[in-house]
Amino acid sequence: MQLRTTEDIIKSFLSEIRIFWQVIFLFSVVIYGGSFYQYLSAKPLPRQLPYFRAFDLISFVLAISLALAIFAYKRKYFSLRPLRKFLEKIRAKHPELNENDLARKVTRDLRGRMKTVWLMGGGLILLGVIFYWLTFTTKNMHVYFIVGLYSLMMNYPRKDLFLDIPYLISEMSVKTEENG
């Protein structure tokens, strides 16, 4: 079935990527919940590791790097200006594309970028869980869970994140018609 408008393409895109977000979210919550349940039921003593400080510092640096990477990635690809530039680049390469084809190309590109952001958020939670299982200390696991969960929740694929795309596409089509 051929979709008729860019709004329909965006709606279809959102319904498809929400499933992936839900899988990442569920997996992250389940691994955290399972680890926390194990901690509450077994009350394991923290392991006395000679390299604990180094491991703690490395996990902290990784967590900060992931959080900053998420922020930078979102700023680089999901604000209005980069979307406009991306659309202009597509239009320059393929001037024959209509509005629906442009919308499909943009959503195809955004799909991969959104998944990357979600995987980084889930990676934060996974990092905390790995730290817990290696050291049996829960402090980092809780902090990384909160930060990772916050990232996943803030990057939920809402319709309002993509409201400008149909407008940008139609604006670009009008400019192309005026220049042509």
Side-chain angles (χ1 to χ4, degrees), residues 25-26 28 34 40 56 67 85 88 99 101 124 145-146 158:
F25 181 80
L26 183 64
S28 300
L40 290 176
D56 186 35
K85 285 185 177 186
E88 288 171 355
E99 289 184 11
D101 293 334
L124 266 169
F145 174 73
I146 291 169
R158 301 177 311 271

Side-chain angles (χ1 to χ4, degrees), residues 9-10 17 25 31 40 57 82 97 106 108 111 120 143 165 179:
I9 293 170
I10 299 293
I17 64 172
F25 181 80
I31 62 167
L40 290 176
L57 183 63
L97 292 178
V106 168
R108 194 174 315 127
R111 178 179 290 119
M120 286 191 281
V143 171
I165 293 175
N179 292 338

Side-chain angles (χ1 to χ4, degrees), residues 147-161:
V147 174
L149 188 68
Y150 178 76
S151 171
L152 285 173
M153 295 303 290
M154 290 304 296
N155 295 309
Y156 177 76
R158 301 177 311 271
K159 187 177 181 180
D160 63 326
L161 294 175

Side-chain angles (χ1 to χ4, degrees), residues 8-180:
D8 292 337
I9 293 170
I10 299 293
K11 285 179 189 175
S12 173
F13 162 72
L14 286 172
S15 65
E16 290 172 12
I17 64 172
R18 280 184 182 140
I19 294 169
F20 188 82
W21 180 89
Q22 291 167 348
V23 168
I24 295 293
F25 181 80
L26 183 64
F27 175 75
S28 300
V29 170
V30 166
I31 62 167
Y32 170 79
S35 298
F36 190 56
Y37 177 76
Q38 190 277 338
Y39 169 75
L40 290 176
S41 62
K43 295 282 186 186
L45 293 174
R47 291 184 181 161
Q48 300 299 323
L49 302 172
Y51 51 86
F52 178 80
R53 275 197 125 98
F55 188 63
D56 186 35
L57 183 63
I58 289 170
S59 73
F60 179 72
V61 168
L62 283 173
I64 293 294
S65 299
L66 276 171
L68 291 175
I70 291 168
F71 179 71
Y73 200 80
K74 280 192 64 175
R75 186 178 173 107
K76 182 176 181 180
Y77 293 111
F78 297 118
S79 60
L80 192 57
R81 187 172 184 205
L83 283 174
R84 183 185 306 272
K85 285 185 177 186
F86 180 70
L87 281 167
E88 288 171 355
K89 189 187 323 179
I90 292 173
R91 178 60 88 183
K93 285 182 183 178
H94 306 284
E96 74 280 356
L97 292 178
N98 62 21
E99 289 184 11
N100 291 348
D101 293 334
L102 276 173
R104 283 187 196 94
K105 278 195 168 292
V106 168
T107 55
R108 194 174 315 127
D109 182 68
L110 288 176
R111 178 179 290 119
R113 296 185 192 286
M114 295 288 290
K115 287 179 180 180
T116 301
V117 169
W118 299 331
L119 289 171
M120 286 191 281
L124 266 169
I125 296 171
L126 185 62
L127 178 64
V129 169
I130 290 170
F131 186 84
Y132 165 74
W133 283 104
L134 293 175
T135 64
F136 289 129
T137 58
T138 59
K139 181 178 145 188
N140 287 7
M141 179 175 73
H142 299 316
V143 171
Y144 298 165
F145 174 73
I146 291 169
V147 174
L149 188 68
Y150 178 76
S151 171
L152 285 173
M153 295 303 290
M154 290 304 296
N155 295 309
Y156 177 76
R158 301 177 311 271
K159 187 177 181 180
D160 63 326
L161 294 175
F162 305 102
L163 286 177
D164 293 329
I165 293 175
Y167 171 73
L168 289 172
I169 290 172
S170 63
E171 178 184 272
M172 194 163 298
S173 297
V174 168
K175 283 183 183 179
T176 304
E177 289 173 6
E178 287 175 359
N179 292 338

